[in-house]
Amino acid sequence: MMIETMFPMFAALLANLTAQLLKPLFLMSRTKRFDMRQTISCGGFPSSHTSTVVALSTAVALVEGISSSLFAVTAIFSFIVIYDAVNVRYYAGKNIQLTKQLINDLSASGEVEFSDPIYHEKIKEVLGHRLIEVIGGFVLGLLETLLFYFLIYKGGNLMETKETEIKKVLDKIRPYIQHDGGDVEFVKF
């Protein structure tokens, strides 16, 4: 079934979409202004970059296990993306703010003329995230994936799911045990 093999991708996409849709609502709660453009913007609360990679890593951990190579790869990928969101991209945005202020100050002093159009380009100042925005994305990605996994992917009944998984494993190994003259059966979980 596609949902079983593609669960990590669906979880990551759902976390990204949820984070992007929440951004205008959180902005409105702070500023009393609704801006739909926030749904496609960088920066803001919660970090969609963080929610996406945390959801991906969490889903891979749930499906493949934390000892799998795939989980190791997604975890390292997540650390890099989160670090980039909170440090590299944040400080790139601060650098843009500083440069724009410097251009404004020099222009206002009249000592330097900025006639080249590049000095008048509109550049987005908010590229990265503050720590609280990353924490919000982390919590969103983690909780949404856990809810998605246990309520939808696993059908909401964890005990029944574990019994089913145990029975599947026993069905796989039973022929080998029977070949050696033994047998195995599920009794109780």
Side-chain angles (χ1 to χ4, degrees):
M1 185 186 275
M2 188 169 158
I3 185 77
E4 292 171 0
T5 59
M6 300 301 286
F7 172 70
M9 184 184 79
F10 291 143
L13 291 174
L14 180 64
N16 183 279
L17 180 65
T18 303
Q20 287 302 122
L21 291 174
L22 287 173
K23 285 181 182 187
L25 300 176
F26 280 108
L27 178 68
M28 189 173 73
S29 73
R30 282 192 345 264
T31 65
K32 307 295 183 231
R33 172 178 69 86
F34 186 79
D35 183 3
M36 194 61 180
R37 291 174 297 176
Q38 290 295 308
T39 60
I40 58 169
S41 73
C42 299
F45 185 90
S47 166
S48 60
H49 287 83
T50 303
S51 68
T52 302
V53 295
V54 168
L56 179 64
S57 292
T58 303
V60 168
L62 291 167
V63 173
E64 303 291 331
I66 60 171
S67 61
S68 71
S69 296
L70 185 56
F71 174 71
V73 170
T74 57
I76 296 299
F77 172 72
S78 296
F79 294 138
I80 292 168
V81 170
I82 292 168
Y83 179 83
D84 180 70
V86 82
N87 284 301
V88 178
R89 289 175 50 243
Y90 177 77
Y91 287 108
K94 286 293 185 189
N95 193 13
I96 291 169
Q97 289 173 343
L98 178 66
T99 303
K100 286 172 87 174
Q101 186 62 47
L102 183 61
I103 290 169
N104 288 339
D105 291 348
L106 287 172
S107 184
S109 73
E111 294 176 28
V112 181
E113 186 179 321
F114 295 97
S115 57
D116 192 312
I118 195 166
Y119 295 115
H120 305 287
E121 272 187 39
K122 288 265 186 201
I123 299 174
K124 185 173 172 70
E125 294 179 15
V126 179
L127 299 175
H129 292 282
R130 295 180 318 219
L131 184 59
I132 190 68
E133 295 167 342
V134 169
I135 291 169
F138 188 96
V139 170
L140 174 66
L142 180 68
L143 293 179
E144 190 170 47
T145 302
L146 291 173
L147 284 171
F148 186 28
Y149 182 78
F150 289 115
L151 296 178
I152 297 170
Y153 180 68
K154 287 295 183 178
N157 189 341
L158 186 58
M159 294 302 280
E160 184 179 305
T161 301
K162 285 296 175 192
E163 284 184 20
T164 304
E165 288 178 18
I166 292 168
K167 288 177 183 177
K168 283 181 183 177
V169 170
L170 290 177
D171 288 342
K172 284 182 183 178
I173 65 170
R174 182 174 289 111
Y176 301 104
I177 295 172
Q178 289 173 338
H179 183 269
D180 289 333
D183 204 350
V184 63
E185 89 176 89
F186 179 81
V187 178
K188 185 179 178 187
F189 177 68

